[in-house]
Amino acid sequence: MTHDMQYNVSTLSDLDIYLFKEGNHTKLYEKFGAHTMQIEGVDGVHFAVWAPNAQSVSVRGDFNDYAADRHPLKLREDDSGIWEGFIEGVEQGLTYKYHIVSRFHHIVHDKSDPFAFFSEKPSKSASRIWSVEGFEWQDEAWMKARHKCNAHDSPVSVYEMHLGSWKRKVEEENRYLTYRELAVELLAYLKQMHYTHVEFMPLTEYPYFGSWGYQVTGYFSATARFGEPQDLMYLIDVLHQNGFGVIMDWVPSHFAVDMHGLVNFDGTALYEHEDPQKGFHPEWGSYIFNYGRNEVKSFLISSAMFWLDKYHIDGIRVDAVASMLYLNYARKEGEWTPNVNGGNENLEAVAFLRKLNESLYGEFSDIMMIAEESTAWPMVTRPTSIGGLGFGFKWNMGWMHDTLKYMSFDPIHRQHHHHQLTFSLWYAFDEHFMLPLSHDEVVHMKGSLINKMPGDTNQKFANLRAMYAYMMAHPGKKLLFMGGDIAQYSEWNFEESIDWHLLEDPYHANLQKMLSDLNLLYRNERALYQHDEKHIGFEWIDDGDYQHNCISFMRKSDLPDETVYVACNFADETWENYRIGVPYDGEYVELFNSQCSEYEGWNIGNPLSLQALKEPMHGREYSVTLTLPPLGVIYLKRVL
């Protein structure tokens, strides 16, 4: 088989070049990288790579014994800095790298393809010739209706997971599951637990397993650790057919320092910012993209678009947005330079994020763009047309920090920290929030969720059940990291399976059952989600009862009869004859009780219906008298 070069073919039109240069090309993956094609009856592969400061670029691969000089690419004559060429006889699956000689100091690098659709399994680092076309999707019904599942007025309960440590085959050298095995086992688990979505920690190819996927080299390449690209498509397709949305973590904030990747790509700072104050991340030891460079903006927006387009991803959670927004993020005085206005905002990154959201929502209006943003930056989830960043949702890190801090206190001290329980409601409707109990809270010696709770085993579980029940009733979409729903004792370890054996213990098994029931209840009660981001969906009954460590509130839909009444007791003491004001007379019944014996609770509550009496309380005409279980949360509903 010959592997000759032909230069008279290009995938790039003049319009492509124009859009690329001005930062408005959002589907570069259709043009760049390695594309199998037939030219004049000859099968082969067209290669295109951006390396404006290269003296020469050639393709080394399995097909030429990795010779550096056999297949040079040709530089386009339009100042785009793009090198391209067609090599006949190259087949799917073969590996390759670009051999780049820089004009500066004749630096020589062998680089993996920034636009590769597939790569060798790490620790190997070559790109693979691969087509992502031809998969026969069966998820048409889901794609047609998914706008209903991703909307602000829909129930969204997300299971966050790391594919490499969810379940391991201990009997097979502790290997992780493949994409296709997950299509069976993960599907069964999501069904059992009644989640609505699953969120995968990054699946873009990354060299170091210990980075959990957050140090990326392949922005268009599904990691080869779990199978081939079509295997990941199969997993997503199966989840879609069964009604589960798929969110993927995506990392435009920084990239890996590994020399086969994007760094110093053509002997210059091409993808990264040349100024280390803007181009190197001191906390993570990684490189930061140059958001002011049009070609880099096109590259990143195209990457996000690729996963939505080719993999039918339903949502993208953008990692580390705060690190992008601020020039002084993780930097001391003197380690950063103010912007042209004298401020600490990274204006180029702000403009990039707005363009990203406009581009993706412009193409796919029914997706979710989620910002992991931990500061008080205004209008993260407001339209770009009024000065917002244009995201659909934002992680509510304030709620998470305050809640975990409050829950960590012994109940006897909680009365002095009551504001940490109520403060989130002052800003709960400023953004479209998601309440995250994510992987970040159970690593780096922070302890597992169950071990953040005070007391003996009985009390720890009661506290954790109460916290989950409070979370489910609090305005905002929900996210829980794997292991949290079985009350795993140990911190998350990316090299080990979740401690599934704990489910042999009734405490763990029945906490899991409670979360399954809660997810189902949440999905079935519109009041718990319809007006998540609107004041009309929430009303305090009593936010001031700090002496008893209690709060009570209503969650409301557009139908008064659907209102859910929530009473939380974070004291380690039963409150009998506890009275709360309600707006209507009639009977009220317990929908849910976190201290129910079914969940290994203490079986204290209100098994019989409660009669509202015309005794005004909390500014309302009627009130009900109930038993509030210790370290317990109950939901009530009026019987019609």
Side-chain angles (χ1 to χ4, degrees):
M1 173 77 69
T2 60
H3 300 101
D4 296 329
M5 299 291 294
Q6 295 178 5
Y7 295 137
N8 60 348
V9 58
S10 176
T11 55
L12 292 142
S13 67
D14 290 344
L15 178 60
D16 288 323
I17 300 298
Y18 175 77
L19 293 173
F20 176 53
K21 283 182 173 179
E22 67 167 19
N24 288 328
H25 205 307
T26 61
K27 294 186 177 179
L28 292 177
Y29 50 89
E30 294 176 346
K31 308 291 180 174
F32 281 80
H35 289 268
T36 52
M37 57 175 61
Q38 193 177 74
I39 305 294
E40 297 171 10
V42 177
D43 289 323
V45 172
H46 180 273
F47 294 87
V49 64
W50 179 51
N53 299 300
Q55 181 177 297
S56 66
V57 179
S58 59
V59 187
R60 310 175 68 178
D62 293 332
F63 44 85
N64 63 15
D65 298 321
Y66 270 84
D69 55 357
R70 289 265 300 280
H71 292 111
L73 299 181
K74 187 178 181 182
L75 179 64
R76 289 178 64 96
E77 296 175 353
D78 53 14
D79 295 325
S80 63
I82 297 168
W83 299 73
E84 60 182 338
F86 176 79
I87 308 178
E88 65 178 69
V90 178
E91 296 163 359
Q92 171 141 315
L94 296 179
T95 68
Y96 68 99
K97 279 190 176 180
Y98 293 120
H99 182 73
I100 299 174
V101 179
S102 177
R103 281 188 288 149
F104 296 93
H105 314 297
H106 293 278
I107 297 169
V108 179
H109 289 311
D110 280 344
K111 293 288 192 179
S112 53
D113 188 344
F115 285 90
F117 296 144
F118 195 33
S119 308
E120 287 185 296
K121 189 174 176 179
S123 57
K124 293 184 176 179
S125 59
S127 302
R128 281 194 188 280
I129 309 291
W130 206 268
S131 172
V132 289
E133 306 302 328
F135 181 80
E136 292 186 17
W137 291 91
Q138 309 288 319
D139 64 349
E140 191 181 345
W142 165 266
M143 295 297 281
K144 209 169 173 179
R146 73 174 177 180
H147 64 277
K148 296 174 188 166
C149 305
N150 293 338
H152 293 129
D153 60 356
S154 303
V156 174
S157 181
V158 182
Y159 185 58
E160 186 197 21
M161 63 177 292
H162 176 255
L163 261 62
S165 58
W166 181 66
K167 242 179 212 184
R168 295 267 187 140
K169 294 282 185 186
V170 182
E171 66 281 8
E172 296 178 37
E173 298 180 344
N174 204 34
R175 73 166 178 85
Y176 26 69
L177 301 184
T178 65
Y179 292 127
R180 286 186 178 262
E181 287 171 331
L182 283 158
V184 177
E185 299 207 29
L186 176 59
L187 173 64
Y189 192 68
L190 295 175
K191 281 183 171 178
Q192 175 194 336
M193 295 302 293
H194 302 294
Y195 288 105
T196 63
H197 294 69
V198 63
E199 179 176 323
F200 297 136
M201 289 164 71
L203 297 178
T204 39
E205 193 58 87
Y206 57 104
Y208 176 48
F209 195 58
S211 78
W212 316 333
Y214 292 98
Q215 297 277 6
V216 182
T217 50
Y219 276 81
F220 297 81
S221 182
T223 180
R225 289 173 174 86
F226 314 111
E228 297 175 351
Q230 280 76 8
D231 296 331
L232 175 55
M233 292 176 188
Y234 176 79
L235 167 59
I236 294 165
D237 197 33
V238 165
L239 293 175
H240 281 176
Q241 289 175 58
N242 287 276
F244 295 103
V246 180
I247 299 164
M248 190 179 85
D249 277 13
W250 180 69
V251 192
S253 46
H254 59 116
F255 60 86
V257 298
D258 300 70
M259 286 311 297
H260 68 272
L262 298 176
V263 60
N264 202 29
F265 191 77
D266 61 0
T268 68
L270 191 64
Y271 287 91
E272 66 271 31
H273 204 289
E274 198 170 12
D275 177 357
Q277 289 194 345
K278 287 184 177 179
F280 189 76
H281 203 297
E283 195 173 47
W284 300 325
S286 50
Y287 286 97
I288 302 170
F289 286 102
N290 183 350
Y291 304 110
R293 189 160 200 166
N294 286 342
E295 296 91 343
V296 172
K297 282 189 278 193
S298 280
F299 170 81
L300 285 171
I301 292 170
S302 293
S303 168
M305 188 75 78
F306 172 76
W307 297 98
L308 301 171
D309 180 7
K310 300 299 181 183
Y311 283 85
H312 292 199
I313 292 286
D314 304 292
I316 289 176
R317 175 238 185 218
V318 181
D319 183 62
V321 171
S323 76
M324 299 169 69
L325 293 174
Y326 297 98
L327 294 167
N328 60 339
Y329 186 91
R331 296 178 198 276
K332 300 185 184 80
E333 205 59 51
E335 294 179 350
W336 63 282
T337 305
N339 63 32
V340 290
N341 304 320
N344 66 345
E345 304 88 358
N346 186 334
L347 301 177
E348 293 169 339
V350 171
F352 162 71
L353 288 168
R354 287 177 174 149
K355 192 175 189 62
L356 171 74
N357 287 318
E358 286 169 359
S359 301
L360 300 183
Y361 276 123
E363 188 85 13
F364 300 99
S365 61
D366 54 356
I367 58 160
M368 306 166 80
M369 290 297 294
I370 305 160
E372 188 222 355
E373 204 288 303
S374 52
T375 74
W377 186 281
M379 302 205 297
V380 172
T381 58
R382 294 293 178 256
T384 56
S385 58
I386 60 167
L389 292 182
F391 283 95
F393 297 91
K394 168 181 165 163
W395 274 18
N396 191 338
M397 313 291 266
W399 170 86
M400 178 270 295
H401 284 299
D402 283 352
T403 300
L404 290 177
K405 186 74 177 162
Y406 177 85
M407 295 303 299
S408 73
F409 291 116
D410 188 285
I412 203 164
H413 300 303
R414 285 178 178 164
Q415 61 178 316
H416 306 297
H417 302 276
H418 195 72
H419 65 283
Q420 287 185 300
L421 200 55
T422 58
F423 181 65
S424 59
L425 270 308
W426 286 96
Y427 61 85
F429 312 107
D430 293 352
E431 302 276 7
H432 303 308
F433 279 121
M434 185 172 282
L435 310 179
L437 291 171
S438 77
H439 67 274
D440 277 330
E441 311 324 312
V442 292
V443 289
H444 303 320
M445 309 300 289
K446 292 179 191 167
S448 63
L449 293 180
I450 185 71
N451 279 326
K452 294 179 197 287
M453 303 295 128
D456 60 21
T457 299
N458 222 343
Q459 291 163 323
K460 280 181 186 291
F461 275 87
N463 273 302
L464 189 60
R465 290 193 303 269
M467 183 179 78
Y468 287 152
Y470 160 65
M471 173 192 189
M472 212 55 101
H474 190 290
K477 308 311 179 191
K478 327 298 174 188
L479 178 138
L480 183 61
F481 183 57
M482 63 183 197
D485 53 2
I486 64 168
Q488 178 163 311
Y489 285 123
S490 58
E491 283 197 337
W492 170 52
N493 178 353
F494 67 93
E495 293 182 299
E496 297 293 334
S497 176
I498 293 298
D499 293 336
W500 296 106
H501 63 272
L502 291 172
L503 292 173
E504 293 164 18
D505 180 326
Y507 270 120
H508 298 269
N510 290 319
L511 175 125
Q512 183 195 44
K513 181 184 179 350
M514 185 201 80
L515 268 166
S516 171
D517 289 352
L518 259 182
N519 271 330
L520 188 58
L521 182 69
Y522 167 65
R523 293 173 75 153
N524 289 337
E525 295 291 339
R526 287 196 323 141
L528 294 176
Y529 61 78
Q530 187 191 15
H531 294 311
D532 257 337
E533 79 290 5
K534 295 176 183 166
H535 286 279
I536 55 170
F538 177 90
E539 190 179 325
W540 281 115
I541 295 173
D542 184 9
D543 65 345
D545 189 8
Y546 65 92
Q547 294 102 328
H548 292 97
N549 295 350
C550 288
I551 55 172
S552 50
F553 54 88
M554 294 185 258
R555 290 303 310 277
K556 301 187 289 185
S557 72
D558 52 11
L559 298 174
D561 291 340
E562 293 182 342
T563 300
V564 174
Y565 303 81
V566 181
C568 309
N569 175 16
F570 294 107
D572 195 4
E573 210 174 319
T574 304
W575 304 126
E576 291 179 356
N577 301 315
Y578 191 88
R579 207 148 63 91
I580 60 171
V582 291
Y584 310 108
D585 64 355
E587 286 183 70
Y588 291 74
V589 295
E590 247 184 29
L591 271 187
F592 169 85
N593 182 338
S594 70
Q595 282 288 35
C596 155
S597 58
E598 233 188 316
Y599 309 137
E600 298 303 303
W602 308 344
N603 214 22
I604 299 168
N606 306 273
L608 305 175
S609 63
L610 304 166
Q611 186 67 45
L613 301 174
K614 192 158 187 179
E615 293 177 11
M617 185 81 182
H618 300 132
R620 290 166 185 87
E621 212 176 326
Y622 302 90
S623 58
V624 293
T625 301
L626 45 86
T627 298
L628 259 188
L631 304 176
V633 172
I634 62 172
Y635 299 177
L636 302 173
K637 200 171 179 187
R638 185 166 168 253
V639 182
L640 302 177

